[in-house]
């Protein structure tokens, strides 16, 4: 056994014999109190694991007498139990400037959605029970009418997420046959969603037409034949092809498809249920526009611009949606009652579009006036400066944020926030990493971004500044 002599503290070193037995430690009053609170199973397991670890350190000559004191053992155990019970999924403050941040859980749910979710989950509900007839119902009916009202669709169904919606649509409409898609639209979304792979998983044969930058109507016309089951348009949500480009609009393509009796599906990715321009934001195609243009099926996400829970929404003609709903894979991709309750409440908010910037967090944050964000930055500057002094300086700065989740990738959201810069040029990278780590280590971790030798905190999504301010003393302590 290696014994680095510098780690051995002579005189105060403890041996394995100094450690109590599991039973004796469990009988110690402070530990018995832990058992009272949490039960025997958890506490005994932690006692065993802790004693094993301490024994190994004693054998290596690394355990001190102070550590085997009864009080020290009880305190260490209490810490272990607390750490074991601490949730791994934690609330964070998203100060990245990206409103729909995929790594931070995308859209925040509206209060109405949270309340409906809680009310529906704390008891039985009519998820698949028809209250009118007293017979079996269909969970789609919870949201189908709303989706049809909002999008103008004849029929609608929902699944676990939009990746599932696309997979199911292709499988149900084109398994074993050909799907025509433009080379300019073979997207990869984060997390291994790649259109060619999705086509293969769905059992369809992909027929690529056009080129990366230009696809013309005759490209589709030439590719459609008796083996074609579906023509697919994919919204290039997370990149933009610029310059010498051409693509075929849904309206034009719908005419080509209709003349040949082939259905047209569009994957919108984000999609928005309202015209974003009405809210001063860049235009994002809506399912209503796609249906009006003649698409048979439109798929989009629940937790992107729509501002709801994770979900894949499928709207379209009665015939196409009917085939999709009956396809066996639908059962494997079906939505759980939890997000379904949240989705219903979220969609209901869209019946009152004038209230959306108040009631729907995603739109509220996206439309938050930059003057308000800047005023918040000014109000917080001095307190943050005091917390990071004397090694860092804090400035109020204009920033450019983004919508996120692949929506409108080239558009930027003018925003404001705080820039924290190390005062010493030397070791600037390390100083920034240390600051970022300290912010992430707070009880409610603060997530910013590092750019141009500064740590930037975009305050657009900080709706609860008290939560941030309350943690500044802890930040000061870590950085001191
Ligand atoms: C985001 C996106 C998807 C995947 O949607 P999820 O809800 O994340 O499963 C599919 N297609 C496009 C174009 C997207 O932007």
């Amino acid at each position: 056994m290696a014994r680095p002599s510098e780690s051995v503290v002579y005189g105060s070193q403890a041996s394995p014999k100094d450690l109590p037995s599991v039973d004796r430690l469990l009988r110690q009053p402070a530990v018995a109190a832990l058992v009272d609170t949490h039960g025997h199973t958890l506490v005994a397991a932690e006692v065993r694991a802790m004693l094993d670890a301490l024994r190994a350190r004693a054998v290596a000559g690394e355990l001190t007498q102070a550590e085997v004191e009864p009080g020290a053992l009880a305190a260490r155990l209490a810490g272990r139990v607390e750490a074991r019970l601490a949730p791994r999924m934690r609330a964070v403050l998203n100060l990245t400037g990206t409103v729909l941040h995929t790594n931070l859980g995308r859209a925040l749910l509206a209060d109405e959605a949270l309340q409906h979710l809680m009310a529906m989950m704390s008891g039985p509900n009519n998820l698949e029970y028809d209250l009118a007839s007293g017979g079996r119902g269909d969970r789609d009916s919870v949201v189908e009418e709303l989706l049809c009202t909002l999008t103008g669709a004849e029929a609608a169904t929902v699944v676990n997420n939009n990746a599932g919606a696309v997979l199911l649509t292709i499988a149900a409409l084109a398994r074993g046959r050909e799907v025509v898609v433009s080379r300019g639209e073979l997207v990869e979304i984060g997390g291994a969603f790649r259109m060619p792979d999705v086509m293969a998983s769905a059992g369809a044969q992909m027929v690529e037409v056009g080129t990366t930058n230009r696809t013309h109507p005759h490209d589709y016309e030439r590719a459609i034949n008796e083996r074609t089951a579906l023509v697919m348009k994919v919204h290039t949500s997370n990149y933009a092809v610029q310059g010498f480009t051409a693509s075929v609009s849904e309206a034009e393509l719908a005419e080509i498809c209709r003349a040949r009796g082939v259905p047209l599906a569009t994957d919108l990715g984000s999609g928005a249920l309202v015209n974003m321009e009405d809210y001063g934001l860049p235009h994002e195609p809506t399912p209503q526009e796609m249906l009006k243009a003649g698409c048979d099926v439109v798929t989009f996400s629940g937790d992107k611009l729509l501002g709801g829970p994770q979900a894949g929404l499928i709207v379209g003609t009665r015939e196409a949606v009917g085939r999709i709903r009956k396809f066996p894979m639908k059962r494997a991709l079906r939505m759980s009652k939890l997000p379904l309750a949240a989705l219903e409440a979220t969609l209901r908010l869209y019946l009152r579009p004038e209230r959306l910037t108040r009631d729907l967090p995603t739109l509220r944050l996206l439309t938050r006036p930059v003057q308000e964000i800047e005023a918040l930055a000014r109000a917080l500057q001095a307190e943050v400066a005091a917390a990071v002094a004397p090694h860092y300086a804090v400035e109020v700065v204009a920033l450019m944020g983004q919508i996120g989740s692949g929506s409108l990738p080239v558009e930027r959201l003018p925003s404001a926030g705080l820039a924290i810069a190390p005062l010493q040029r030397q070791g600037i990278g390390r100083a920034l990493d240390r600051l970022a780590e300290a912010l992430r280590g707070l009880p409610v971790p603060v997530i910013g971004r590092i750019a141009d030798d500064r740590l930037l905190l975009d305050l657009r999504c900080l709706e609860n500044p008290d939560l941030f301010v309350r943690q500044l003393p802890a930040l000061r302590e870590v950085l001191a």
Side-chain angles (χ1 to χ4, degrees):
M1 192 133 323
R3 265 200 192 197
S5 58
E6 60 271 19
S7 74
V8 177
V9 186
Y10 291 102
S12 66
Q13 198 180 314
S15 86
K17 286 200 300 286
D18 298 321
L19 287 165
S21 69
V22 171
D23 284 339
R24 213 177 93 213
L25 188 52
L26 280 170
R27 281 197 302 273
Q28 197 189 301
V31 176
L34 274 180
V35 173
D36 257 1
T37 308
H38 301 292
H40 179 83
T41 306
L42 172 68
V43 179
E46 288 304 324
V47 164
R48 271 182 224 109
M50 179 181 80
L51 289 177
D52 283 349
L54 294 178
R55 197 168 299 113
R57 288 186 46 221
V59 169
E62 292 168 4
L63 193 66
T64 64
Q65 282 291 345
E67 289 178 281
V68 299
E69 295 292 324
L73 287 173
R76 183 187 290 265
L77 179 66
R80 285 187 69 115
V81 169
E82 194 182 324
R84 174 72 68 196
L85 289 173
R88 296 297 177 267
M89 189 189 269
R90 293 171 57 194
V92 304
L93 287 174
N94 171 13
L95 304 192
T96 62
T98 300
V99 175
L100 296 168
H101 199 300
T102 294
N103 302 143
L104 303 180
R106 288 193 186 161
L108 311 180
L109 288 183
D111 286 342
E112 281 83 350
L114 293 171
Q115 277 159 26
H116 192 48
L117 177 68
M118 294 279 281
M120 290 307 98
M121 291 315 112
S122 49
N125 57 58
N126 64 335
L127 181 68
E128 290 188 354
Y129 183 79
D130 182 6
L131 290 171
S133 70
R136 192 193 160 89
D138 181 342
R139 66 177 66 204
D140 278 355
S141 61
V142 171
V143 289
E144 183 172 20
E145 192 193 319
L146 259 172
L147 273 171
C148 291
T149 304
L150 294 170
T151 64
E154 288 174 7
T157 184
V158 286
V159 289
N160 179 57
N161 59 8
N162 188 41
V166 175
L167 178 70
L168 175 64
T169 297
I170 297 170
L173 302 183
R175 171 164 235 128
R177 298 180 65 203
E178 291 182 2
V179 180
V180 177
V181 64
S182 161
R183 289 195 173 88
E185 299 174 2
L186 297 178
V187 303
E188 175 184 309
I189 314 295
F193 178 91
R194 307 174 100 192
M195 202 37 88
D197 300 340
V198 175
M199 296 262 184
S201 305
Q205 198 185 336
M206 185 170 74
V207 176
E208 300 172 32
V209 298
T211 61
T212 305
N213 56 327
R214 290 171 72 81
T215 303
H216 306 284
H218 60 77
D219 290 324
Y220 287 101
E221 285 165 347
R222 263 186 236 141
I224 297 174
N225 59 42
E226 67 286 345
R227 292 182 303 276
T228 310
L230 184 67
V231 174
M232 183 97 198
K233 278 285 281 183
V234 186
H235 186 53
T236 56
S237 56
N238 53 5
Y239 66 97
V241 179
Q242 283 171 338
F244 187 53
T245 64
S247 63
V248 183
S249 74
E250 281 78 6
E252 244 178 307
L253 194 49
E255 218 164 287
I256 294 170
C257 290
R258 200 174 313 118
R260 288 157 182 79
V262 175
L264 172 63
T266 291
D267 174 27
L268 276 188
S270 188
L273 279 181
V274 285
N275 185 358
M276 286 288 146
E277 281 163 324
D278 292 349
Y279 299 87
L281 293 162
H283 184 75
E284 175 80 19
T286 65
Q288 342 13 342
E289 286 165 11
M290 297 294 120
L291 293 169
K292 208 172 279 168
C295 294
D296 295 273
V297 181
V298 183
T299 56
F300 53 107
S301 276
D303 55 355
K304 292 185 179 174
L305 275 176
L306 194 143
Q310 179 185 305
L313 292 79
I314 304 172
V315 296
T317 62
R318 203 167 286 114
E319 135 81 10
V321 173
R323 279 167 67 195
I324 291 167
R325 184 181 287 137
K326 281 203 233 56
F327 196 72
M329 190 190 283
K330 164 75 163 57
R331 175 63 178 78
L333 294 171
R334 81 175 180 190
M335 227 174 137
S336 146
K337 63 181 178 173
L338 273 92
L340 192 58
L343 180 64
E344 183 197 6
T346 306
L347 290 174
R348 218 168 276 293
L349 294 176
Y350 280 89
L351 296 174
R352 304 183 304 189
E354 294 84 1
R355 299 281 167 272
L356 280 174
T357 54
R358 183 191 67 184
D359 298 341
L360 191 72
T362 297
L363 262 188
R364 186 170 69 227
L365 293 172
L366 288 174
T367 58
R368 195 170 181 191
V370 66
Q371 298 90 325
E372 187 187 312
I373 306 169
E374 197 188 312
L376 178 58
R378 290 198 187 291
L380 295 179
Q381 182 191 14
E383 276 173 288
V384 176
V388 298
H391 300 301
Y392 303 86
V394 180
E395 260 188 308
V396 174
V397 286
L399 295 171
M400 283 306 221
Q402 57 191 98
I403 293 174
S405 271
S407 314
L408 311 153
V410 286
E411 306 275 355
R412 287 287 178 270
L413 278 178
S415 187
L418 298 170
I420 312 180
L423 285 171
Q424 282 215 321
R425 299 292 308 169
Q426 220 177 348
I428 201 161
R430 225 168 324 116
L432 284 170
D433 288 345
R434 182 161 175 252
L435 177 63
E437 197 183 315
L439 287 164
R440 288 199 309 271
L442 293 171
V444 182
V446 173
I447 319 291
R449 68 181 200 269
I450 291 176
D452 304 329
D453 288 344
R454 300 175 305 172
L455 191 140
L456 304 176
L457 300 178
D458 187 312
L459 301 186
R460 173 177 296 277
C461 296
L462 186 63
E463 288 197 294
N464 184 355
D466 288 350
L467 189 59
F468 177 69
V469 170
R470 271 205 304 276
Q471 303 196 97
L472 290 176
L475 179 65
R476 179 167 31 218
E477 219 162 275
V478 176
L479 291 176

